[in-house]
Amino acid sequence: MAVGAIGSALGGNDTAADDTKNTEKEESIPSEYKSALKKAEQYSSMMKMSKAGIYDQLTSEAGEKFSAEAGKYAIDNLKADYNANALAKAEDYQKTMAMAPEAIRDQLTSSAGEKFTAEEADYAIQNLSK
């Protein structure tokens, strides 16, 4: 055990201690927060939603009804590529609705629509197939 302590003191990896810390940290996360994160992952990967759209869906009375804190935790810990999500939505609008690029941009950024940022919508429009 002294070797492990010396290794840790010298910057070595003590994976057992790290694993214990990670497990303790994960166990201290409320189950509501974990559920909100799991649901957020589904909305991002399956429905290609924006950050604001996911948060609204998680916390809405008409949606998942998670607390604002659980929604924030989920958004803060979600590993999502919102540019890719915006592009997927834009391609869908282009293919299924035959919308012009500017109309797609408006739909992507609308507060009544997809709620992507202007930067994410710009990325999507710039990367649409011509």
Side-chain angles (χ1 to χ4, degrees):
M1 195 63 169
V3 173
I6 293 169
S8 291
L10 298 175
N13 291 335
D14 190 352
T15 56
D18 290 343
D19 288 347
T20 300
K21 286 179 190 172
N22 288 340
T23 301
E24 288 173 0
K25 184 177 179 183
E26 189 171 312
E27 288 175 359
S28 69
I29 298 167
S31 61
E32 179 191 19
Y33 288 31
K34 293 177 191 176
S35 295
L37 178 56
K38 185 171 185 156
K39 187 57 84 167
E41 290 166 347
Q42 292 171 352
Y43 282 126
S44 179
S45 67
M46 297 186 330
M47 298 182 71
K48 307 300 182 191
M49 292 175 74
S50 66
K51 181 185 272 190
I54 293 169
Y55 177 82
D56 289 350
Q57 187 64 28
L58 290 174
T59 59
S60 169
E61 281 298 313
E64 301 297 333
K65 301 179 183 178
F66 286 107
S67 68
E69 295 80 11
K72 181 176 178 352
Y73 172 84
I75 293 301
D76 290 348
N77 289 280
L78 178 62
K79 292 173 179 55
D81 184 342
Y82 296 110
N83 282 336
N85 286 1
L87 179 57
K89 284 287 187 178
E91 289 170 340
D92 190 46
Y93 282 121
Q94 185 180 50
K95 186 175 11 174
T96 63
M97 306 284 289
M99 293 172 73
E102 285 309 308
I104 294 171
R105 181 190 313 276
D106 289 347
Q107 184 64 26
L108 290 176
T109 58
S110 171
S111 62
E114 302 295 339
K115 302 177 183 175
F116 284 98
T117 65
E119 293 79 14
E120 291 159 352
D122 288 344
Y123 173 86
I125 298 304
Q126 291 168 4
N127 289 282
L128 273 176
S129 43
K130 306 291 181 214

